[in-house]
């Protein structure tokens, strides 16, 4: 893994203007990255933020900060320190208006870059793994404690509210994303947020949830039956469970993410589910709920798993007439294979 300085050197860039909030936080540790940027150079990086954050920047930032009152001061500072240089910016997080503003600074050559810091974030440090593990532990303890509430007559949103409340009580900063509780035919919507629908006998309830701890996310999906399920739903559930298990057994250093997606996709196809698995197998998780590596058949170039990556495996089958099933585990790639961080109860049907 190349570090950031050598990546910049390879592109003949002398500094990188980092504005993507997760990247700003990753490099600096500053916890209000939406209101900050990092000017990274090999000889001394700086956090750039405004006067609301003087104390916070002092306490949190790994870099000395440049505090401005008016945006004009940034321009003057960039001109003073970077004139004559090639400076990278992050093209996926730059508006046309901001780029025009940067281009009005005399003497700097702006170079579009893509995914430089994201590349570093693919491999989690042990401190990052600890935080993701902590988030996952909160989420699954809360899920298991809430299972007795899954009864016919209870509204989906009551379950979601309880899960969120308890996660925060247990120390999560927030839910990692809007909790999905989708029952009956609503479970055919992969991202159906919790509604006022009441759980009914014969429903399979999909719960997709995660917690956030110090900026780091967890992500997990389970599905639980209310009473007896129709045989077609049981068949779907077992197929998804097997697809997830086969994928998990294939996780190891050097395995391709596209190839991993194919393990689950090919198995589901043999069970008669092709169109029904309409999304990627998984994604990386970290400072963002969805980050690299994508575990997807749609990757342009293959990405190979490395120790320290944390990915989800979330096969799903969705049928508008029957409902859907998704099961999702959070998995740490290790030197010797994989560790499943998701131990929350998964029922056998
Ligand atoms: Zn999820
Ligand atoms: Zn996910």
């Amino acid at each position: 893994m190349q570090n950031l300085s050598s990546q910049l050197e390879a592109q003949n860039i002398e500094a990188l203007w980092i504005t993507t909030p997760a990247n700003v936080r990753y490099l600096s540790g500053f916890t209000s990255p939406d209101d900050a940027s990092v000017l990274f150079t090999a000889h001394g990086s700086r956090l750039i933020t405004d006067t609301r954050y003087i104390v916070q920047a002092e306490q949190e930032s790994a870099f000395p900060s440049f505090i401005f009152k008016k945006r004009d001061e940034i321009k003057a500072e960039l001109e003073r320190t970077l004139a004559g240089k090639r400076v990278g910016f992050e093209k996926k997080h730059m508006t046309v208006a901001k780029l025009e503003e940067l281009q009005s600074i005399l003497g700097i050559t702006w170079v579009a870059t893509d995914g430089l810091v994201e590349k570093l974030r693919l491999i989690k440090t042990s401190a990052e793994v600890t935080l993701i593990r902590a988030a996952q532990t909160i989420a699954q303890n809360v899920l298991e404690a809430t299972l007795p509430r899954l009864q016919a007559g209870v509204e989906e949103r009551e379950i979601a509210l309880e899960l969120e409340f308890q996660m925060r009580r247990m120390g999560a900063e927030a839910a990692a994303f809007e909790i999905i509780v989708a029952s009956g035919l609503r479970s055919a919507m992969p991202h159906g947020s919790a509604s006022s629908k009441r759980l009914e006998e014969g429903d399979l309830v999909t719960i997709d949830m995660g917690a956030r701890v110090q900026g780091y996310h967890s992500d997990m999906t389970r599905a639980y039956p209310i009473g007896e399920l129709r045989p077609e739903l049981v068949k779907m559930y077992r197929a998804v469970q097997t697809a997830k298990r086969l994928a998990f057994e294939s996780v190891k250093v050097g395995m391709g993410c596209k190839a991993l997606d194919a393990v689950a996709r090919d198995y589901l196809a043999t069970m008669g589910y092709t169109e029904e698995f309409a999304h990627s197998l998984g994604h990386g998780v970290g400072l963002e709920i969805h980050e690299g590596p994508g575990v997807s058949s749609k990757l342009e170039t293959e990405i190979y798993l490395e120790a320290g990556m944390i990915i989800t495996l979330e096969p799903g089958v969705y049928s508008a007439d029957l409902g859907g099933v998704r099961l999702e585990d959070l998995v740490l790639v290790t030197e010797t294979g994989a560790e499943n961080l998701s131990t929350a109860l998964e029922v056998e049907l």
Side-chain angles (χ1 to χ4, degrees):
M1 184 65 55
Q2 280 183 311
N3 67 27
L4 198 50
S5 302
S6 56
Q7 286 193 74
L8 295 188
E9 217 168 286
Q11 296 194 31
N12 195 20
I13 293 171
E14 286 152 283
L16 183 62
W17 175 249
I18 296 155
T19 51
T20 307
N23 292 345
V24 169
R25 181 165 184 164
Y26 180 76
L27 293 173
S28 68
F30 187 60
T31 61
S32 299
D34 290 295
D35 294 323
S37 47
V38 164
L39 183 64
F40 179 91
T41 71
H43 341 277
S45 303
R46 276 186 303 166
L47 179 83
I48 296 169
T49 187
D50 64 70
T51 46
R52 291 171 294 172
Y53 297 104
I54 295 173
V55 175
Q56 191 183 330
E58 176 79 20
Q59 287 175 355
E60 295 178 346
S61 175
F63 309 128
S65 41
F66 175 80
I67 306 276
F68 65 90
K69 274 202 204 85
K70 289 195 237 128
R71 284 192 64 80
D72 280 1
E73 297 165 34
I74 305 180
K75 274 173 77 169
E77 179 66 8
L78 291 176
E79 203 167 85
R80 191 181 71 77
T81 54
L82 296 172
K85 297 192 156 75
R86 281 166 56 85
V87 181
F89 66 92
E90 297 181 304
K91 71 175 184 184
K92 289 213 177 103
H93 196 271
M94 177 62 65
T95 61
V96 174
K98 286 213 176 100
L99 184 58
E100 283 176 354
E101 196 181 331
L102 292 180
Q103 283 167 335
S104 72
I105 303 170
L106 294 177
I108 297 177
T109 308
W110 292 96
V111 182
T113 70
D114 188 15
L116 299 181
V117 181
E118 284 83 350
K119 203 183 236 178
L120 308 178
R121 286 171 42 207
L122 290 173
I123 311 288
K124 270 63 187 177
T125 63
S126 62
E128 291 181 291
V129 172
T130 300
L131 293 173
I132 294 169
R133 214 185 265 283
Q136 175 59 19
T137 300
I138 290 173
Q140 57 196 12
N141 286 346
V142 163
L143 176 63
E144 289 191 336
T146 307
L147 290 182
R149 301 274 318 265
L150 293 181
Q151 304 278 352
V154 179
E155 287 183 12
E156 291 172 353
R157 62 184 183 187
E158 284 178 54
I159 302 294
L161 189 62
E162 178 71 12
L163 291 170
E164 178 150 1
F165 177 78
Q166 294 299 347
M167 285 199 294
R168 297 199 60 174
R169 169 167 269 177
M170 299 294 285
E173 288 166 344
F177 50 90
E178 193 186 340
I179 296 168
I180 292 169
V181 179
S183 63
L185 288 179
R186 294 193 73 257
S187 61
M189 295 185 283
H191 276 189
S193 51
S195 77
S196 58
K197 179 190 172 296
R198 292 178 190 278
L199 309 187
E200 293 166 63
E201 289 293 321
D203 279 358
L204 186 59
V205 189
T206 299
I207 300 178
D208 188 349
M209 63 183 294
R212 199 180 78 211
V213 171
Q214 290 181 45
Y216 284 84
H217 300 82
S218 71
D219 191 4
M220 165 185 64
T221 308
R222 290 289 182 264
Y224 299 105
I226 308 294
E228 277 295 290
L229 296 184
R230 299 166 64 164
E232 302 95 311
L233 269 180
V234 173
K235 179 186 168 229
M236 261 188 191
Y237 181 93
R238 288 180 180 156
V240 168
Q241 197 172 35
T242 303
K244 179 163 71 67
R245 180 176 55 76
L246 292 173
F248 177 73
E249 287 169 2
S250 306
V251 173
K252 59 168 194 264
V253 171
M255 178 69 180
C257 288
K258 267 173 123 160
L260 188 55
D261 179 285
V263 169
R265 199 167 298 282
D266 293 350
Y267 171 74
L268 288 173
T270 66
M271 296 301 289
Y273 304 119
T274 47
E275 302 295 303
E276 290 87 349
F277 179 22
H279 55 73
S280 301
L281 179 63
H283 54 88
V285 177
L287 280 171
E288 291 177 289
I289 182 65
H290 294 126
E291 57 181 49
V295 184
S296 170
S297 58
K298 297 187 191 82
L299 289 177
E300 279 170 29
T301 48
E302 184 61 290
I303 300 174
Y304 296 95
L305 294 177
E306 294 180 51
M309 287 182 172
I310 292 186
I311 56 171
T312 68
L313 300 175
E314 49 182 305
V317 167
Y318 311 92
S319 150
D321 314 321
L322 283 169
V325 184
R326 179 173 62 263
L327 296 171
E328 176 180 27
D329 285 347
L330 192 60
V331 174
L332 170 66
V333 183
T334 65
E335 296 291 348
T336 51
E339 183 190 350
N340 196 336
L341 304 181
S342 308
T343 56
L345 177 68
E346 188 175 307
V347 290
E348 301 297 328
L349 295 180

